[in-house]
Amino acid sequence: MNVSVKDWFKSGSPWVWLNAGAVSLCVIMVVGLLGLIAVKGLGHFWPSTLYVTEYQTRSGEQKTLLGEITDSELVSAVQLKSAGYQVPENLEYIDRQLLKVGNRDVYGQDFRWVLSSSVTSQTVLEDMVGIERREWGNFYGQLVSVKENGKTVVSVADAGFDATWEALQARIERALTLQDEIHGIETGAIGSINYGLERLRLKERGLELQGDTDPIKLQGIVEERAALNAEYEVLKEELNALYQQAQRDQLVATTIDGQEVEMTLSKVVLAYAPNNMGLFDKIIHYIGKLGEFLLDDPREANTEGGIFPAIFGTVMMVLLMSIMVTPFGVVAAVYLREYAKQGPVTQVIRIAVNNLAGVPSIVYGVFGLGFFIYFLGGSIDQLFYPEALPAPTFGTPGLLWASLTLAILTVPVVIVATEEGLSRIPRAVREGSLALGATKFETLWRVVLPMSSPAIMTGVILAIARAAGEVAPLMLVGVVKLAPSLPLDWNYPFIHLDRKFMHLGFHIYDVGFQSPNVEAARPLVYATAFLLVLVIAVLNLAAVAIRNSLREKYKALEH
């Protein structure tokens, strides 16, 4: 049976195919974008081959570099000529390579662009090593010897590379164990003592403001302070002993141009020989680097180390925001739909709620700064924390105010979604509940709200998706570049809502636009962006699972 083009268009089939094609194209673009971000970000942690590159400079001088190839691009010959390079006349574009040469403390910069046409040789030597340090970035060169208290214990010249390498790895492991003990004492035991001393100071200041001169109370504070100070002195001696042990071992290495560098192993995070690693060794190294990225604190202006505080802060802020926005949004929607008289005033309120969803997020940040922090937080400090003034407690940006600001930002989404869910509940269900003797509140609490819970969860999902990626308002109400203390720890009251925190979105902005080392920061921007998408996806999937469970539970009541 032949169908004319006119009838085919009337049937609507072209629009169905057009929509299907548009959706497929969007899916392909999203998957492709995520794949690009994942490759550029996660590929950063793979141990790349170290090349010995010999090349000629613009003046014709022969130089040698050791490093990994991190990028390449085509550059206009005209641009290179204007910079003073000699370029063949028949070429319009010249390929150049970006080498990560490390050794910032020696060379002043750890990335170099080299024209492929100027490279005379590029070789791979097995005994080249990479050393990841706590300061000055990576070191690339050749291992010479391992020292203990300044005296050579083993050297490549005497014992060979393998024996020296094994001795180095054993001593690095010892140094890392000592560093973990030092970090545990500094952030754990000593951190708790400092926190206790500060609480005693505030308690003493509070008694002074109240005019309370009770000698028993003051003596108790003095005794507690003395006990904490005595405990601190013991920990201080233990810490000094650990520092001395950590300073015991050193390594000596040379750069590719023969400059000798000595490093204390307490400053070394990892030593690896990528040119001498098999596939299995590289996989183990890659997994270890991923674990470091996810679980460690950042260092080197956020261009090295991990991003665990940012992950923790993002998840905790979103959870607090969800706990705050859900009841407020549901109560507002229930009032507008079930209790308020439907008329012009209610309609204006609905329009205002819808318009709130379109207000720029930075406006909410300014509102949060002015109302929550300066007004509300300042009032709380005057009423409940006068002993801490003039240093603010809640009158300063922090996790609580950031969560509240984002709750206000996302509450229109929850209100609209909840209202839609309430409007879909059949009137017969309400009337049946009332006919059985239930009050209006009981009907709402036991019948209507449970049946509309999938719609409420839809609003929460949309709120999470928007709030988790917000950055602009957070810059005003609590997020910082580096927060050494997490908002959750073992010090009373355990959850510190007044503390500033780190956030994945702000971390991307800071590393991408505020970092002094652009080339080193670029792959971390991709990796952190990919991780932020994963965090949002996990939070959304958890909410979707809850919504689907509620939908299945109450599906029978809708029929």
Side-chain angles (χ1 to χ4, degrees), residues 82 109 133 140 185 195 197 285 353 358 369 415-416 499 536 549:
S82 63
Q109 56 182 351
R133 302 177 289 183
Y140 296 133
I185 292 175
Y195 189 77
L197 290 172
H285 177 94
V353 168
L369 179 66
I415 292 175
V416 172
R499 286 183 181 173
I536 295 174
S549 176

Side-chain angles (χ1 to χ4, degrees), residues 64-114:
T64 304
L65 294 175
L66 172 66
E68 55 184 84
I69 301 173
T70 60
D71 198 4
S72 63
E73 66 179 16
L74 292 175
V75 185
S76 169
V78 175
Q79 180 181 349
L80 293 174
K81 288 179 181 178
S82 63
Y85 286 94
Q86 297 295 327
V87 179
E89 295 296 334
N90 59 335
L91 295 179
E92 293 185 8
Y93 292 93
I94 304 294
D95 180 61
R96 68 174 181 174
Q97 298 175 340
L98 180 63
L99 300 180
K100 182 179 180 180
V101 297
N103 307 353
R104 195 186 316 142
D105 52 336
V106 178
Y107 301 142
Q109 56 182 351
D110 47 6
F111 285 87
R112 298 280 184 87
W113 283 104
V114 176

Side-chain angles (χ1 to χ4, degrees), residues 139-152:
F139 175 89
Y140 296 133
Q142 293 175 294
L143 180 63
V144 174
S145 63
V146 177
K147 291 184 175 182
E148 181 178 319
N149 294 324
K151 297 180 179 179
T152 301

